[in-house]
Amino acid sequence: MDPWLIWLIIAGVLAVAEIFTLTAALGMLSAAALVTAGSAAVGLPLPFQFLVFTAVATVTLLFLRPVALRHVLKPQAARFGVDALVGKGAYVVSEVTGLGGRVRIDGEEWTARALDETQVIPAGKTVDVIQISGATAIVYPRD
């Protein structure tokens, strides 16, 4: 079997393993094996193939992997939809209890429930949206 084909198989196996692990390390090693397959295809002797693999793997793991992980692990910049409502202030339109009520959040009227089921929040008070459950805002009064 040709050496370039062996390196190509190794690159494929590492790429498939990366899909299941999502560590970025196996992907970098797969890229190194792919470059080494190219060097083997042009006729580079086996010791130099190992040298190519080692060099490319070292460069990708030391320099590219941290950059890739930084992009993958960075927090979401903005919240959208109902997630964006959590933490906002709301105006109580009709009395809010543990069973129900109405609040206005950013100009829209929502059904609401008090976080503390024993609490009664009168109309006209300002509350904070703690979470959104379905179409109901779970709220807590501001002090």
Side-chain angles (χ1 to χ4, degrees):
M1 186 178 283
D2 289 331
W4 66 269
L5 187 58
I6 294 170
W7 285 110
L8 199 58
I9 291 169
I10 291 170
V13 168
L14 288 169
V16 169
E18 173 62 35
I19 291 170
F20 292 109
T21 63
L22 299 174
T23 62
L26 295 176
M28 301 298 168
L29 293 176
S30 173
L34 193 60
V35 170
T36 307
S39 69
V42 294
L44 207 60
L46 190 60
F48 290 112
Q49 291 174 28
F50 284 118
L51 188 62
V52 167
F53 179 79
T54 303
V56 173
T58 301
V59 168
T60 57
L61 287 174
L62 290 180
F63 298 108
L64 290 180
R65 185 172 183 262
V67 173
L69 288 178
R70 224 175 303 137
H71 287 295
V72 169
L73 299 176
K74 80 175 160 182
Q76 185 178 358
R79 295 184 301 173
F80 296 97
V82 294
D83 290 336
L85 299 177
V86 175
K88 286 196 173 203
Y91 177 78
V92 178
V93 176
S94 66
E95 183 178 83
V96 176
T97 66
L99 300 174
R102 306 283 295 170
V103 296
R104 183 168 288 120
I105 309 168
D106 285 346
E108 294 182 353
E109 205 165 299
W110 284 71
T111 57
R113 232 178 34 234
L115 180 64
D116 180 1
E117 293 182 7
T118 63
Q119 198 165 33
V120 176
I121 306 167
K125 290 283 264 182
T126 302
V127 293
D128 287 318
V129 179
I130 304 301
Q131 83 182 68
I132 302 290
S133 177
T136 303
I138 311 300
V139 297
Y140 192 79
R142 282 191 178 165
D143 293 327

